[in-house]
Amino acid sequence: MFRDITHAALSVIFPNRCPFCDGIIGAREYYCPECAASLRYIESGRAEPPQGLSELFACCGYSGAARSAVLRLKDGSYGYSAEAFGVMMTEVVGDNIRGYDALVPVPSSFGSILRRGYAPAEYIAREISRRSGVRVVTALSASVEKEEQKHLRKAERKKNARSSFVLYDGKNIRGKKILLIDDICTTGATLSACAKLLREAGAAEVGGAVFAKTVGRA
Ligand SMILES: [Zn+2]
């Protein structure tokens, strides 16, 4: 509720924009209805979980308007995408969120945080947390400057993903059921690498939630 008031108040100064088409939207809206209707929703709200994850929630396929919004989030234009993704992901996960003890965002590299001014997955996780009451635990961090995944081939991605993350703070992980949060799942290598670290830190179970999932070739 408070969050919605803040969202509306800020929009007086900075008009809200739809992350899917960049059009101006109402103070209390997170996206325009036309764009929401154009997304290729995954009917079950679930996708094949990558190795090491018990389940994977996903809102829609990675194409069209969904792709534009993910790219806007990644290039750092603004964070409207994170809010919209958080709203939609909370809806898709639904009551299943009650089974989870904590949300862990997939970490961004330090370089990309400096470039964008924010960590996309953390923004999304905080939005889901505000709506669900499940807390965010930033348990993982990028190890070294990781290569941007999209420039790498599949085999390289897998290798790169494994060495890209480290356990930053494992004290709230042991025995807990963790929901990993990211904007997109392509090969699943990133989520698998993160899940492995969390299980090694004692997590009882690791699931995942993403906004978009690629189907077929990434
Ligand atoms: Zn739109």
Side-chain angles (χ1 to χ4, degrees):
M1 182 60 189
F2 174 72
R3 175 66 186 170
D4 285 342
I5 293 167
T6 313
H7 179 85
L10 277 174
S11 73
V12 176
I13 312 162
F14 307 104
N16 284 333
R17 287 184 177 274
C18 170
F20 301 107
C21 68
D22 207 26
I24 291 177
I25 52 173
R28 289 175 187 278
E29 290 176 327
Y30 291 90
Y31 38 79
C32 65
E34 293 80 9
C35 286
S38 80
L39 297 176
R40 274 186 18 211
Y41 291 102
I42 297 170
E43 216 171 298
S44 62
R46 286 170 187 264
E48 184 67 32
Q51 196 182 1
L53 278 80
S54 58
E55 58 184 346
L56 179 64
F57 298 96
C59 298
C60 59
Y62 184 60
S63 63
R67 189 166 175 274
S68 307
V70 168
L71 293 176
R72 284 202 180 96
L73 182 67
K74 285 199 190 298
D75 78 10
S77 314
Y78 49 76
Y80 295 108
S81 300
E83 281 192 342
F85 294 176
V87 170
M88 289 180 168
M89 286 162 70
T90 305
E91 214 157 286
V92 158
V93 176
D95 285 342
N96 298 295
I97 199 91
R98 293 171 206 261
Y100 285 93
D101 300 302
L103 310 172
V104 173
V106 168
S108 297
S109 69
F110 301 115
S112 70
I113 294 172
L114 282 177
R115 195 170 68 246
R116 298 171 182 134
Y118 58 82
E122 191 168 336
Y123 258 36
I124 298 169
R126 299 216 175 272
E127 189 65 41
I128 297 172
S129 178
R130 271 190 287 271
R131 290 169 178 274
S132 66
V134 178
R135 66 186 173 149
V136 177
V137 175
T138 45
L140 303 174
S141 114
S143 55
V144 282
E145 177 56 44
K146 75 178 175 105
E147 297 285 327
E148 286 294 333
Q149 296 278 315
K150 63 180 176 183
H151 297 311
L152 302 175
R153 287 171 198 281
K154 192 170 176 180
E156 289 171 327
R157 278 189 196 187
K158 213 161 187 178
K159 186 168 144 261
N160 189 55
R162 261 190 220 126
S163 57
S164 293
F165 308 108
V166 289
L167 185 72
Y168 166 69
D169 181 1
K171 69 174 185 289
N172 291 310
I173 298 302
R174 182 161 296 280
K176 299 286 198 292
K177 196 173 165 188
I178 306 294
L179 189 64
L180 271 168
I181 305 294
D182 209 355
D183 51 355
I184 180 174
C185 175
T186 51
T187 64
T190 295
L191 288 172
S192 288
C194 291
K196 186 168 184 282
L197 285 170
L198 293 171
R199 284 199 320 277
E200 284 167 1
E205 195 180 321
V206 182
V210 295
F211 171 67
K213 173 81 182 82
T214 55
V215 274
R217 285 185 54 193

